[in-house]
């Protein structure tokens, strides 16, 4: 029950009514029994600075950020983590004695279903989610629960399908990514988090595919003098995609192609996807529809599929751990709340 002692968390955006964050965070808060509530706050771009002052005045403990504020908030914060500066965007803000501090948990969210689970299989919430990339450590240090999301390929109806067997994590052929090739579709903001994640994994090659040669060149250059330089990054225009797919151990869609209400579309043609090796990992950051056409097509060709819902859950779990100053949050509860909210169960 909300009362005078209840501490506030939230999400800001414009608009913000579409945000799924309140559903998963309030489910976790209820499960933990802590005196918090997570609320959506619509904030217009021109009101961002005033909103920060207002949040401080009412002792808001922290908040998530969605479009269009992820970049605009950077100069308004007292400190920004190296990972957020490298990506060029903040998605999580928390308050300290020095003021508002920003970080980005998208890398942790992206990595979670790719990391090898602990032995014996971890059954609880997420472990320590402070990114090893921020520590300057290239080793994967935390392990999520086995991946339960995704959907089987082969559906002709477009209906939500049952989950595949749990993906056990790690690269095709094992947990060593040092000989693996990542191919990333798109070169926007989401692609930056994926590049950082692939660098964290230690991928031998990271290839980014985009439409504009100029934008791709700028994207590549931005990592040269980054707080976290990525040396093994190559960029390509779309006409090289078929060749790249044949080399891919990890194929990631960061574009909006295939997102609801255009769920019948895929960023990759059937002919190009035929070149994807069986056992490769197809990862789509889109979570509606679930599964996307891209993932269904990839699974029909023997790929392992990961959908964007798991990344959404895991980046939220990382943020909640910061706000609550805890090392354990109920990731399974958050995942289930989102699946129910989206009508996937």
């Amino acid at each position: 029950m909300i009362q005078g002692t209840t501490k506030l968390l939230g999400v800001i955006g414009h608009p913000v009514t579409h945000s799924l964050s309140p559903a998963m965070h309030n489910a976790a808060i209820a499960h933990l029994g802590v005196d918090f509530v997570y609320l959506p706050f619509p904030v217009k771009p021109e009101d961002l600075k005033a909103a920060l002052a207002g949040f401080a005045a009412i002792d808001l403990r922290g908040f998530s950020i969605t479009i269009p504020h992820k970049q605009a908030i950077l100069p308004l914060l007292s400190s920004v983590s190296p990972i957020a500066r490298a990506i060029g965007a903040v998605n999580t803000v928390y308050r300290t004695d020095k003021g508002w501090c920003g970080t980005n948990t998208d890398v942790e969210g992206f990595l979670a279903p790719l990391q090898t689970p602990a032995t014996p299989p971890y059954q609880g919430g997420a472990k320590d989610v402070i990114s090893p990339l921020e520590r300057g450590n290239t080793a994967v240090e935390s392990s999520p629960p086995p991946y339960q999301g995704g959907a089987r390929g082969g559906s002709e109806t477009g209906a939500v399908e049952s989950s595949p067997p749990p993906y056990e994590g790690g690269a095709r052929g094992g947990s060593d990514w040092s000989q693996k090739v990542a191919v990333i579709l798109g070169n926007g903001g989401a692609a930056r988090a994926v590049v950082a994640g692939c660098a964290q994994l230690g991928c031998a090659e990271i290839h980014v595919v985009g439409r504009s040669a100029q934008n791709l060149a700028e994207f590549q250059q931005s990592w040269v003098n980054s707080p976290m330089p990525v040396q093994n990054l190559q960029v390509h225009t779309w006409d090289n995609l078929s060749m790249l797919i044949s080399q891919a151990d990890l194929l990631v869609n960061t574009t909006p192609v295939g997102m609801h209400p255009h769920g019948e579309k895929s960023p990759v043609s059937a002919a190009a996807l035929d070149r994807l090796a069986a056992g490769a990992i197809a990862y789509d950051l889109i979570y509606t529809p679930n599964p996307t056409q891209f993932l269904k097509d990839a699974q029909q060709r023997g790929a392992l599929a990961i959908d964007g819902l798991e990344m959404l859950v895991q980046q939220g779990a990382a943020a909640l751990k910061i706000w609550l100053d805890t090392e354990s949050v109920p990731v399974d509860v958050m995942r289930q709340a989102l699946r129910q909210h989206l009508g996937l169960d």
Side-chain angles (χ1 to χ4, degrees):
M1 180 173 65
I2 299 174
Q3 49 196 355
T5 58
T6 302
K7 293 173 277 293
L8 302 179
L9 299 168
V11 55
I12 66 169
H14 185 69
V16 78
T17 53
H18 67 284
S19 176
L20 300 177
S21 295
M24 67 174 172
H25 284 303
N26 284 317
I29 287 166
H31 181 85
L32 291 169
V34 292
D35 192 14
F36 280 79
V37 66
Y38 185 101
L39 302 169
F41 296 105
V43 175
K44 296 178 182 178
E46 61 268 27
D47 295 333
L48 182 57
K49 186 174 182 179
L52 286 181
F55 289 160
I58 62 173
D59 197 27
L60 192 83
R61 298 304 174 93
F63 56 93
S64 310
I65 306 175
T66 188
I67 295 171
H69 304 310
K70 288 187 173 187
Q71 292 82 33
I73 200 167
L74 282 163
L76 303 178
L77 299 173
S78 299
S79 67
V80 177
S81 70
I83 189 66
R85 290 208 178 276
I87 295 172
V90 165
N91 76 339
T92 300
V93 174
Y94 56 98
R95 190 159 179 80
T96 70
D97 293 341
K98 297 180 181 179
W100 293 114
C101 303
T103 189
N104 195 304
T105 63
D106 283 337
V107 173
E108 288 138 67
F110 169 73
L111 287 176
L114 294 173
Q115 295 169 350
T116 305
T119 302
Y122 182 52
Q123 299 298 327
K127 293 181 182 289
D128 181 8
V129 296
I130 300 302
S131 170
L133 195 61
E134 292 195 48
R135 299 191 188 107
N137 184 348
T138 57
V140 174
E141 298 186 5
S142 61
S143 301
Y147 177 60
Q148 301 292 338
R152 300 184 186 277
S155 169
E156 300 297 329
T157 64
V160 174
E161 303 171 30
S162 59
S163 298
Y167 173 52
E168 295 300 335
R172 176 161 58 100
S175 59
D176 180 10
W177 289 85
S178 64
Q179 303 300 315
K180 306 302 180 180
V181 175
V183 176
I184 301 164
L185 309 178
N187 58 306
R192 298 193 67 84
V194 174
V195 167
C198 290
Q200 165 68 44
L201 287 172
C203 292
E205 299 177 23
I206 303 172
H207 300 274
V208 171
V209 184
R211 305 253 176 223
S212 165
Q214 179 177 344
N215 290 345
L216 284 165
E218 292 172 357
F219 183 93
Q220 184 173 32
Q221 183 61 35
S222 71
W223 288 98
V224 174
N225 298 317
S226 165
M228 294 171 185
V230 178
Q231 306 295 345
N232 57 341
L233 173 65
Q234 301 177 51
V235 297
H236 311 265
T237 52
W238 215 257
D239 51 2
N240 291 319
L241 181 58
S242 291
M243 177 270 293
L244 291 168
I245 284 180
S246 66
Q247 304 172 23
D249 298 285
L250 173 64
L251 178 63
V252 186
N253 177 39
T254 73
T255 79
V257 178
M259 185 182 293
H260 178 81
H262 303 293
E264 77 286 355
K265 295 185 177 180
S266 170
V268 183
S269 69
L273 208 54
D274 283 339
R275 300 173 68 92
L276 185 65
I281 300 168
Y283 197 144
D284 200 333
L285 303 196
I286 295 171
Y287 49 83
T288 52
N290 189 297
T292 59
Q293 189 64 47
F294 167 64
L295 290 185
K296 288 192 287 186
D297 290 347
Q299 281 196 313
Q300 287 175 349
R301 290 157 175 81
L304 303 169
I306 302 175
D307 63 57
L309 191 67
E310 190 67 9
M311 178 173 171
L312 180 65
V313 170
Q314 296 287 350
Q315 65 79 29
L320 193 60
K321 293 177 78 170
I322 293 171
W323 297 324
L324 300 185
D325 191 23
T326 181
E327 293 197 2
S328 180
V329 296
V331 179
D332 292 344
V333 170
M334 298 171 76
R335 183 186 299 111
Q336 188 62 25
L338 280 191
R339 292 188 64 83
Q340 290 179 348
H341 185 80
L342 294 168
L344 300 177
D345 290 325

